Amino acid sequence: MSKEENKKLFIETLGCQMNDTDSQHIIAELKEHKNYSTTNNMEEADLIIINTCSVREKPVQKLFSEIGQFNKKKKDTAKIGVCGCTASHLGEDIMKRAPYVDFVLGARNISKIKDIVDKKGAVEIDIDYDDSTYQFAQSGTSLYKTSVNISIGCDKECTYCIVPATRGEEISIPLEMIVQQVAKDVANGAVEVTLLGQNVNSYGRRFSDGREKTSFTKLLQEVSKIDGLERIRFSSPHPLHMDDEFIEELVKNPKISKCIHMPLQSGSTSILKDMKRGYSKEGFLKRAKKIRDLIPEVRITTDIIVAFPGETQEDFEDTIDVINQVKFDQIFNFKYSPRPNTQALELEEKEIADNIGSARLTEVIELHKLHQSEHMESNIGKTVNVLFESLKPNGEVSGFTDNYVQVFVKGSDELLGRFIDVKITGASRTSLKGEVIN
Ligand code: 5AD
Ligand code: SF4
């Protein structure tokens, strides 16, 4: 294919880390095949892409007001494309509501970007499309970090969640392709990888070529054999599938980051049942305790949804109780938002009044702040090892510890890309300050 003149791409990414990676792939594919380079200025762009999220309702509403604004301010000749989960879920309705949109590309069809970018009116949202043969152009995120999708779609049926409807059934990407991709990124300077999937712990159960099953633990073992790779992160695991084999690997494999996301969603066993999460309050607490006991430095993060339909005060107090027992290091809080194509819509008559939902959300946030301060202050005086990755305009350099706390020190670009011991001298709720130990 002949290269065309250089064109500018403005891309906005909403939602989760999988969308970030998908956007990186879009950028890489359009650079390689269509000669696009990125710009941060929407008004000079030849192509505007919004990579959307449909997990909650607000971002969907925001999408339409935003593309309206883009349409007013863009160059006359510029095209607009809507990609990602809302594209999958609304399909051609997007063009009905916003006729100036040029193409719609679903979350499971990202690898087709180069084929549809010039097709006015194209809508590509097939969730059966088999893109497990992801052969993408080299993507370039941070110099030291890379992220790789290990599976697409989700086979769970959490009753509040739209993802299975937008991203389709779960298919794992072949293990050797993942290892090859990570090794390639490491050869290009990456020292850290994040393995991404909606439910990483179920990796290896279904491949598009019908090959034998494998497991996430096996994948972790293979990836960690790559020389030069120092840190492995992953997102998101599912508490139900964190089996003993996985926990053992987490404990003994020094390359695996000791920060683990355990999305609780609710602390009430009866709400967990209505959410179809597959574990009870006690089951979750047992697993979290086991991980904390085995890995003293572990940080545990979580997602919580308040005001799921039917959530009584007692149910909510169970959530508060779990928060008090686990003392999460980070909580991503959400108020339940009814989504199309989800089973929880059937519980409509049990919906919780918005003011109650807001009060519960505030309570979770305030309690969590106390735990966060406690955790962060406990680091003062300790020595931590930090991978430095960015230079700030105020002369500080920032990086992350193995258990994913952000640390700032005074320093220069000499620190970048290196693992360095730092003595912690100060703490805020979200980051630490320290001095490099020479
Ligand atoms: N309402 C509120 N929060 C939701 N999430 C997913 N679906 C919904 C919904 N309908 C949250 C869950 C999930 C995170 C990515 O988004 O907590 O773990
Ligand atoms: Fe949604 Fe549940 Fe799948 Fe996560 S595991 S993407 S919450 S259905």
mmCIF file of all heavy atoms in Angstrom, residues 55-56 160-161 265 303 305 334-337 339, ligand 1:
data_model
loop_
_atom_site.group_PDB
_atom_site.id
_atom_site.type_symbol
_atom_site.label_atom_id
_atom_site.label_comp_id
_atom_site.label_asym_id
_atom_site.label_seq_id
_atom_site.Cartn_x
_atom_site.Cartn_y
_atom_site.Cartn_z
ATOM 1 N N VAL A 55 -19.661 1.655 30.335
ATOM 2 C CA VAL A 55 -19.895 0.978 31.607
ATOM 3 C C VAL A 55 -20.919 1.727 32.466
ATOM 4 O O VAL A 55 -21.757 1.124 33.109
ATOM 5 C CB VAL A 55 -18.561 0.756 32.348
ATOM 6 C CG1 VAL A 55 -18.776 0.461 33.816
ATOM 7 C CG2 VAL A 55 -17.833 -0.421 31.723
ATOM 8 N N ARG A 56 -20.850 3.053 32.466
ATOM 9 C CA ARG A 56 -21.858 3.827 33.180
ATOM 10 C C ARG A 56 -22.518 4.800 32.205
ATOM 11 O O ARG A 56 -21.999 5.062 31.134
ATOM 12 C CB ARG A 56 -21.239 4.567 34.369
ATOM 13 C CG ARG A 56 -20.991 3.638 35.543
ATOM 14 C CD ARG A 56 -20.095 4.254 36.584
ATOM 15 N NE ARG A 56 -18.772 4.490 36.083
ATOM 16 C CZ ARG A 56 -17.829 3.550 36.040
ATOM 17 N NH1 ARG A 56 -18.060 2.352 36.485
ATOM 18 N NH2 ARG A 56 -16.653 3.828 35.535
ATOM 19 N N TYR A 160 -24.918 -6.266 36.572
ATOM 20 C CA TYR A 160 -24.939 -4.809 36.355
ATOM 21 C C TYR A 160 -24.129 -4.420 35.127
ATOM 22 O O TYR A 160 -24.128 -3.265 34.713
ATOM 23 C CB TYR A 160 -24.325 -4.088 37.581
ATOM 24 C CG TYR A 160 -22.985 -4.669 37.968
ATOM 25 C CD1 TYR A 160 -21.836 -4.298 37.301
ATOM 26 C CD2 TYR A 160 -22.891 -5.636 38.967
ATOM 27 C CE1 TYR A 160 -20.615 -4.878 37.612
ATOM 28 C CE2 TYR A 160 -21.684 -6.224 39.279
ATOM 29 C CZ TYR A 160 -20.541 -5.834 38.592
ATOM 30 O OH TYR A 160 -19.347 -6.422 38.880
ATOM 31 N N CYS A 161 -23.417 -5.370 34.527
ATOM 32 C CA CYS A 161 -22.318 -4.989 33.638
ATOM 33 C C CYS A 161 -22.640 -5.159 32.156
ATOM 34 O O CYS A 161 -23.096 -6.220 31.714
ATOM 35 C CB CYS A 161 -21.088 -5.814 33.995
ATOM 36 S SG CYS A 161 -19.657 -5.335 33.024
ATOM 37 N N GLN A 265 -17.057 -5.089 44.734
ATOM 38 C CA GLN A 265 -18.386 -4.635 44.245
ATOM 39 C C GLN A 265 -19.373 -4.438 45.391
ATOM 40 O O GLN A 265 -19.926 -3.360 45.529
ATOM 41 C CB GLN A 265 -18.990 -5.562 43.179
ATOM 42 C CG GLN A 265 -18.043 -5.952 42.036
ATOM 43 C CD GLN A 265 -17.490 -4.800 41.211
ATOM 44 O OE1 GLN A 265 -17.790 -3.641 41.470
ATOM 45 N NE2 GLN A 265 -16.652 -5.088 40.222
ATOM 46 N N ASP A 303 -12.919 -2.203 43.515
ATOM 47 C CA ASP A 303 -14.035 -1.426 42.938
ATOM 48 C C ASP A 303 -15.259 -1.696 43.804
ATOM 49 O O ASP A 303 -15.505 -2.854 44.173
ATOM 50 C CB ASP A 303 -14.393 -1.933 41.528
ATOM 51 C CG ASP A 303 -13.324 -1.654 40.487
ATOM 52 O OD1 ASP A 303 -12.419 -0.858 40.754
ATOM 53 O OD2 ASP A 303 -13.416 -2.251 39.399
ATOM 54 N N ILE A 305 -19.509 -0.837 44.110
ATOM 55 C CA ILE A 305 -20.740 -0.222 43.586
ATOM 56 C C ILE A 305 -21.702 -0.070 44.753
ATOM 57 O O ILE A 305 -21.991 -1.061 45.435
ATOM 58 C CB ILE A 305 -21.399 -1.118 42.509
ATOM 59 C CG1 ILE A 305 -20.450 -1.339 41.328
ATOM 60 C CG2 ILE A 305 -22.709 -0.516 42.039
ATOM 61 C CD1 ILE A 305 -20.995 -2.300 40.264
ATOM 62 N N PHE A 334 -18.310 3.575 42.747
ATOM 63 C CA PHE A 334 -19.326 3.892 41.751
ATOM 64 C C PHE A 334 -20.706 3.797 42.374
ATOM 65 O O PHE A 334 -20.941 2.954 43.228
ATOM 66 C CB PHE A 334 -19.257 2.904 40.574
ATOM 67 C CG PHE A 334 -17.875 2.768 40.006
ATOM 68 C CD1 PHE A 334 -17.086 1.663 40.320
ATOM 69 C CD2 PHE A 334 -17.350 3.753 39.183
ATOM 70 C CE1 PHE A 334 -15.806 1.542 39.803
ATOM 71 C CE2 PHE A 334 -16.066 3.638 38.667
ATOM 72 C CZ PHE A 334 -15.300 2.527 38.979
ATOM 73 N N LYS A 335 -21.590 4.698 41.890
ATOM 74 C CA LYS A 335 -22.990 4.562 42.250
ATOM 75 C C LYS A 335 -23.613 3.732 41.132
ATOM 76 O O LYS A 335 -23.312 3.970 39.960
ATOM 77 C CB LYS A 335 -23.619 5.958 42.324
ATOM 78 C CG LYS A 335 -25.003 5.963 42.840
ATOM 79 C CD LYS A 335 -25.393 7.336 43.416
ATOM 80 C CE LYS A 335 -25.276 8.458 42.399
ATOM 81 N NZ LYS A 335 -25.859 9.706 42.827
ATOM 82 N N TYR A 336 -24.454 2.768 41.479
ATOM 83 C CA TYR A 336 -25.037 1.892 40.449
ATOM 84 C C TYR A 336 -25.707 2.719 39.348
ATOM 85 O O TYR A 336 -26.428 3.669 39.616
ATOM 86 C CB TYR A 336 -26.062 0.952 41.102
ATOM 87 C CG TYR A 336 -26.876 0.201 40.075
ATOM 88 C CD1 TYR A 336 -26.295 -0.821 39.333
ATOM 89 C CD2 TYR A 336 -28.201 0.545 39.828
ATOM 90 C CE1 TYR A 336 -27.033 -1.496 38.371
ATOM 91 C CE2 TYR A 336 -28.946 -0.132 38.869
ATOM 92 C CZ TYR A 336 -28.341 -1.143 38.138
ATOM 93 O OH TYR A 336 -29.066 -1.801 37.175
ATOM 94 N N SER A 337 -25.436 2.323 38.122
ATOM 95 C CA SER A 337 -26.029 3.010 36.977
ATOM 96 C C SER A 337 -26.675 1.950 36.079
ATOM 97 O O SER A 337 -25.991 1.038 35.612
ATOM 98 C CB SER A 337 -24.888 3.758 36.271
ATOM 99 O OG SER A 337 -25.170 4.079 34.955
ATOM 100 N N ARG A 339 -27.830 -0.147 33.112
ATOM 101 C CA ARG A 339 -27.309 -0.198 31.753
ATOM 102 C C ARG A 339 -28.157 -1.108 30.872
ATOM 103 O O ARG A 339 -28.664 -2.129 31.342
ATOM 104 C CB ARG A 339 -25.852 -0.711 31.744
ATOM 105 C CG ARG A 339 -24.899 0.017 32.655
ATOM 106 C CD ARG A 339 -24.820 1.529 32.390
ATOM 107 N NE ARG A 339 -24.298 1.892 31.085
ATOM 108 C CZ ARG A 339 -24.961 2.652 30.198
ATOM 109 N NH1 ARG A 339 -26.173 3.095 30.461
ATOM 110 N NH2 ARG A 339 -24.423 2.959 29.057
HETATM 111 N N1 5AD B 1 -22.967 0.821 37.490
HETATM 112 C C1 5AD B 1 -21.967 1.255 38.303
HETATM 113 N N2 5AD B 1 -20.714 0.774 38.233
HETATM 114 C C2 5AD B 1 -20.459 -0.188 37.325
HETATM 115 N N3 5AD B 1 -19.332 -0.852 37.021
HETATM 116 C C3 5AD B 1 -19.593 -1.702 36.018
HETATM 117 N N4 5AD B 1 -20.880 -1.606 35.648
HETATM 118 C C4 5AD B 1 -21.447 -0.666 36.451
HETATM 119 C C5 5AD B 1 -22.757 -0.134 36.565
HETATM 120 N N5 5AD B 1 -23.753 -0.533 35.792
HETATM 121 C C6 5AD B 1 -18.077 -0.684 37.760
HETATM 122 C C7 5AD B 1 -17.652 -1.985 38.445
HETATM 123 C C8 5AD B 1 -16.483 -2.441 37.614
HETATM 124 C C9 5AD B 1 -15.907 -1.121 37.165
HETATM 125 C C10 5AD B 1 -14.999 -1.195 35.991
HETATM 126 O O1 5AD B 1 -17.044 -0.341 36.843
HETATM 127 O O2 5AD B 1 -17.238 -1.677 39.767
HETATM 128 O O3 5AD B 1 -15.555 -3.224 38.349
#
